[in-house]
Amino acid sequence: MKVTINTKISALIKENIEVIDTIAAINPHFKKLKNPLLRRALASRVTIADAAKIGGVSVEVFFNKLEQIGFEVENKVPFSSEVKRTSIDKSNVLSFDVRELISGGTDPFKEIMEKVKLLEENQILEIINSFEPIPLINVLKSKGFISEVVRKDDLVYTYFQKVKEVELEIATETTCTTENNFDEIYKKYIGKMEYVDVRHLEMPEPMTTILEKLESLPIDFCLLVDHKKVPQFLLPELKERKFDIYYNKIDENNIQLLICRQ
C-alpha cells in the first residue's frame, strides 16, 4: 500500500493490523490505539500528518516505521522535525471535565457550547478528557477559536481561546431538514439504503460507527440510522464530508436519521 501524509490511520490499520503496535511504539500517546473504543474514535479522522503533530514527532519518523512493515511512501519529501504548537495564556481558565458525562453515555456537546457562551473576555475554556477531542477542535475553530492540547498524567487538557468574532450558534436546522422532508427522501432511496442501529452504543462509538459506514457507502445509496438523538458532534463532520442529514423523531429515545451525499 502506498501512503502519503494525508493517509488516514484507519486505512493503515485496515491494510495491516500490525501497524497498531508499530505506531504505539513511536510515542506513548499512541498506545491509546490499542484501545478499540478510542481507536474507532480517532483513527478514521486522523491522518499521518495529524498524528505526527499530536505525537510531537516528524512525519519522517512515521514513514520510516511504516516502511519497515511493508508500506510504500509516495512522493516522500523531507519534513522538519520541529512541531509548532499554539501557546495559550492559561491565567484565566474556565474548566470543564467531560469524562463523567461521556462515561454515562451523554454527549457533552451542548454543555460545552453553553460553557463557551459563558466565557468572559480573555477567559480560556479548558476541556478535560481522556482523548483529544478532534471534532470539538474543528467546530470551535470554525467559530473563531484557537486550541492547545496538553497531555498530563494520562489525561488530555484542551484549551480554547477566542481570537476573532464569529457568531456562536448550535445549528441543527442548517444541517438537518424538517421531519416532513424525511419521508420524501426515504421514498427516493428505497432499495438503495444501508442501515445501522447505534442506540445501544456508548460514546463516542455512535459517531465513529456512522462515519465508518459512510466511508464504504455505495455512491448512490443513503444510510438509515436509528439513534437516541440528533448527534451534535456529527453534524460538522457530515457537512465537511458533503453529506446531508434528515431526521424523523419516533419517540423520546429514538430518532431515525437519513444521511445522503449532497
Side-chain angles (χ1 to χ4, degrees):
M1 175 183 177
K2 291 185 178 181
V3 300
T4 70
I5 59 173
N6 296 316
T7 301
K8 296 289 182 64
I9 301 301
S10 57
L12 300 177
I13 296 172
K14 185 176 181 180
E15 177 71 15
N16 184 352
I17 194 68
E18 185 182 341
V19 81
I20 296 175
D21 290 330
T22 300
I23 295 177
I26 294 175
N27 188 295
H29 296 319
F30 299 134
K31 289 182 179 179
K32 291 182 174 63
L33 285 175
K34 294 187 176 183
N35 181 316
L37 178 62
L38 295 179
R39 184 164 66 245
R40 292 182 69 184
L42 300 175
S44 64
R45 300 198 305 282
V46 175
T47 65
I48 290 175
D50 294 333
K53 182 178 179 181
I54 291 169
V57 299
S58 71
V59 178
E60 281 185 316
V61 170
F62 265 82
F63 282 164
N64 292 338
K65 291 290 186 181
L66 292 175
E67 285 177 323
Q68 292 174 15
I69 58 172
F71 287 93
E72 181 182 349
V73 178
E74 187 174 12
N75 299 324
K76 186 174 182 179
V77 295
F79 290 89
S80 170
S81 59
E82 179 183 359
V83 179
K84 296 181 180 180
R85 297 189 178 278
T86 302
S87 181
I88 293 177
D89 181 3
K90 306 174 187 63
S91 58
N92 185 12
V93 170
L94 173 63
S95 184
F96 185 30
D97 189 335
V98 300
R99 288 174 296 165
E100 185 174 347
L101 286 173
I102 291 177
S103 64
T106 300
D107 186 338
F109 182 80
K110 287 187 177 181
E111 286 81 356
I112 291 173
M113 295 306 288
E114 289 301 322
K115 297 289 185 183
V116 170
K117 290 181 179 181
L118 292 175
L119 287 176
E120 300 174 353
E121 187 175 358
N122 298 321
Q123 192 171 31
I124 308 303
L125 177 63
E126 175 190 63
I127 300 297
I128 304 173
N129 201 355
S130 58
F131 57 89
E132 185 171 352
I134 293 175
L136 179 64
I137 291 173
N138 292 335
V139 169
L140 290 184
K141 181 180 179 180
S142 70
K143 305 298 183 183
F145 285 78
I146 59 173
S147 61
E148 178 183 359
V149 177
V150 177
R151 292 169 178 80
K152 183 179 179 182
D153 299 329
D154 294 326
L155 292 179
V156 177
Y157 300 81
T158 307
Y159 299 91
F160 295 95
Q161 179 182 23
K162 192 171 186 180
V163 293
K164 61 181 179 180
E165 288 299 322
V166 178
E167 183 179 359
L168 285 171
E169 57 181 11
I170 303 176
T172 57
E173 293 302 323
T174 58
T175 48
C176 286
T177 66
T178 63
E179 295 179 67
N180 291 334
N181 296 97
F182 181 95
D183 291 337
E184 178 183 342
I185 300 300
Y186 185 94
K187 291 176 183 178
K188 177 181 176 181
Y189 282 95
I190 289 177
K192 294 184 176 181
M193 196 179 300
E194 293 195 357
Y195 172 76
V196 63
D197 187 343
V198 300
R199 288 173 294 175
H200 63 289
L201 300 177
E202 296 182 358
M203 287 189 58
E205 286 192 274
M207 180 172 69
T208 57
T209 299
I210 292 170
L211 291 175
E212 287 176 0
K213 281 284 188 179
L214 291 176
E215 285 183 2
S216 59
L217 188 70
I219 192 67
D220 56 346
F221 274 53
C222 79
L223 180 64
L224 176 64
V225 182
D226 271 318
H227 207 305
K228 290 188 291 187
K229 55 192 172 183
V230 176
Q232 298 290 339
F233 269 137
L234 182 62
L235 301 183
E237 290 285 335
L238 294 178
K239 183 177 180 181
E240 182 178 343
R241 300 177 189 216
K242 301 188 183 305
F243 282 92
D244 288 326
I245 179 170
Y246 307 84
Y247 70 95
N248 177 37
K249 186 174 181 180
I250 305 299
D251 54 47
E252 292 302 318
N253 296 308
N254 186 8
I255 289 182
Q256 285 191 325
L257 308 173
L258 270 178
I259 304 175
C260 316
R261 289 184 177 85
Q262 292 179 359

